[in-house]
Amino acid sequence: MTELLAFLMSYETLRFIWWLFLGVLLIGFAIMDGFDLGVGALLPWVARTDDERRVLINAIGPTWEGNQVWFILGGGAIFAAYPLIYSAAFSGFFVALILVLFALILRPVGFDYRSKLPHPQWRSMWDWGLFIGGFVPALVFGVAFGNLLQGVPFYFDDSLRVHYEGGLPGLLNPFGLLAGVVSLSMLVMQGAAFLLLKTVGHLRERAHRALGVAALVFALSFAGAGLWVGFGIDGYVLTAFAGTEAASNPVAKEVVRQTGAWFANFKATPVLWLVPLLAFTGAFGAWWLAARRPGVGFIASSVAVACTILTAGIAMFPFMMPSSLEPAHSLTVWDATSSLLTLRWMFWMTVLFLPLILFYTSWVFSVLRGPVTLEQVSDSHEHY
């Protein structure tokens, strides 16, 4: 037992564990808050009347704030466990993140103010605000991941201060936009799969059609992005570094760029190819099963979401934020973390509180299970 604890508390193991923790938080955000964003993006298209739009809003209204916890936890984990990545990312992606923030601000005010007045123009304005609050973050998050795979234009000076040379136009490159389409279609698919659980009648039929379109776009764009990564983008290879137990120093290593390097981990461990395969299978399963067994369809969609994020993480490991200006300054799992003591304290806090969050979330969705109907929202003034 002592040896196992010593192994778990070693710097190398904790660095890897925190890479896993961050992946879990990103997946949790994409699955839970992802269907909120997807429903927002679908709002003007699936719902055609005011009461139908109220059904969609009330389908996610009681839980969207709780789902935001995953977003906050992800940002907090990066800030505490990966301060170098936090500083570099928030410098490089500042404009994009501000755009996401402004879009997300439209969600709470949209939920709270939409039904305050019965005027059609007033409600239509907030409906489009909720659409923007779902569409923009879903797209921008994918664009950010696309730029990570290409490398971000930053470097460290002699004082280890990060410098970023780029801007929003540079982020909106062809591959970045393709990655944005992957993310957007993936979250729209997740939102449509959730609506099949929460709606009935014509709304459910339209949600299923939207699910089919989103799943097809996701599969095609995900396959296209994979081919582009394999044959059109130079990946990063770590050739020498200070070691997995050494103090974090992002410039104490050697890195080269090679075409197809992002596939190296899959080639070294062929069983990992099952992860992207499950992403395609989950998308197809979501469309095939959702109309018959919506609960299983939602699980299949969630598997697709999780495996898409896992595919990107496995491809880049151990890199987390590659640098296109100075490849040797790229941030990796082994040289971008906080101190050993910080990782240990955060490990035990996560072990304590993450199960509580999972338990509470499961309880909330169990209590709120079942569809939202037109009769419920039209007969009640307590709904949004």
Side-chain angles (χ1 to χ4, degrees):
M1 187 68 180
T2 303
E3 293 180 355
L4 176 61
L5 185 61
F7 171 74
L8 287 175
M9 293 297 102
S10 69
Y11 210 4
E12 177 184 13
T13 305
L14 282 172
R15 280 169 160 166
F16 181 71
I17 287 174
W18 271 101
W19 178 78
L20 293 176
F21 275 163
L22 183 59
V24 169
L25 294 174
L26 290 176
I27 290 171
F29 168 71
I31 290 175
M32 302 304 296
D33 205 34
F35 72 71
D36 289 343
L37 300 176
V39 170
L42 287 169
L43 183 62
W45 319 111
V46 171
R48 297 177 180 175
T49 66
D50 181 68
D51 280 346
E52 287 183 344
R53 286 187 283 273
R54 289 183 64 201
V55 168
L56 265 61
I57 291 170
N58 282 280
I60 59 175
T63 57
W64 75 269
E65 289 179 291
N67 292 338
Q68 291 282 100
V69 168
W70 293 99
F71 184 59
I72 297 169
L73 286 176
I78 296 174
F79 174 78
Y82 298 100
L84 291 174
I85 292 176
Y86 187 88
S87 62
F90 276 75
S91 297
F93 299 144
F94 179 78
V95 176
L97 291 173
I98 286 294
L99 183 63
V100 168
L101 178 62
F102 286 158
L104 290 177
I105 288 173
L106 293 174
R107 299 175 73 200
V109 291
F111 281 114
D112 289 338
Y113 287 108
R114 180 195 182 275
S115 295
K116 295 295 184 182
L117 296 176
H119 198 284
Q121 290 184 346
W122 170 266
R123 294 190 173 187
S124 177
M125 177 185 68
W126 290 116
D127 289 340
W128 284 106
L130 290 171
F131 165 77
I132 293 171
F135 179 90
V136 171
L139 179 69
V140 172
F141 289 140
V143 170
F145 263 99
N147 280 272
L148 286 178
L149 286 165
Q150 296 176 97
V152 182
F154 74 93
Y155 68 93
F156 291 94
D157 61 19
D158 294 338
S159 302
L160 291 184
R161 291 180 298 178
V162 65
H163 297 268
Y164 175 81
E165 297 183 1
L168 183 61
L171 297 177
L172 301 178
N173 54 77
F175 180 77
L177 291 174
L178 177 60
V181 172
V182 174
S183 174
L184 177 61
S185 58
M186 178 181 74
L187 297 187
V188 168
M189 175 182 68
Q190 183 75 351
F194 181 74
L195 287 178
L196 286 167
L197 284 168
K198 301 295 291 183
T199 58
V200 296
H202 294 302
L203 276 175
R204 198 164 183 265
E205 294 172 1
R206 292 183 211 132
H208 187 242
R209 288 197 293 269
L211 173 59
V213 173
L216 178 61
V217 173
F218 164 75
L220 293 175
S221 57
F222 186 53
L227 291 173
W228 199 332
V229 167
F231 302 103
I233 291 178
D234 290 340
Y236 291 69
V237 179
L238 186 63
T239 57
F241 68 110
T244 59
E245 294 279 355
S248 293
N249 185 350
V251 299
K253 60 178 175 294
E254 296 178 9
V255 176
V256 297
R257 300 191 67 177
Q258 296 176 0
T259 301
W262 288 143
F263 281 178
N265 290 331
F266 293 99
K267 293 177 180 177
T269 311
V271 70
L272 293 176
W273 286 109
L274 289 175
V275 176
L277 179 61
L278 281 172
F280 289 108
T281 305
F284 175 77
W287 170 76
W288 181 258
L289 295 168
R292 301 165 182 82
R293 301 184 65 184
V296 180
F298 181 75
I299 292 173
S301 177
S302 299
V303 168
V305 171
C307 288
T308 302
I309 296 173
L310 279 174
T311 298
I314 292 169
M316 293 180 62
F317 186 85
F319 291 91
M320 299 186 70
M321 191 171 179
S323 170
S324 59
L325 294 181
E326 293 287 348
H329 293 188
S330 300
L331 298 173
T332 75
V333 173
W334 313 123
D335 61 18
T337 61
S338 296
S339 67
L340 175 59
L341 181 61
T342 300
L343 295 187
R344 283 178 175 174
W345 272 101
M346 289 185 59
F347 171 82
W348 292 116
M349 293 299 101
T350 303
V351 168
L352 175 63
F353 288 108
L354 186 58
L356 294 177
I357 294 172
L358 293 173
F359 172 78
Y360 175 75
T361 301
S362 301
W363 177 76
V364 167
F365 278 90
S366 176
V367 171
L368 297 174
R369 66 185 179 276
V372 179
T373 65
L374 288 169
E375 292 75 19
Q376 289 173 342
V377 299
S378 60
D379 295 340
S380 173
H381 297 290
E382 297 178 358
H383 290 77
Y384 287 114

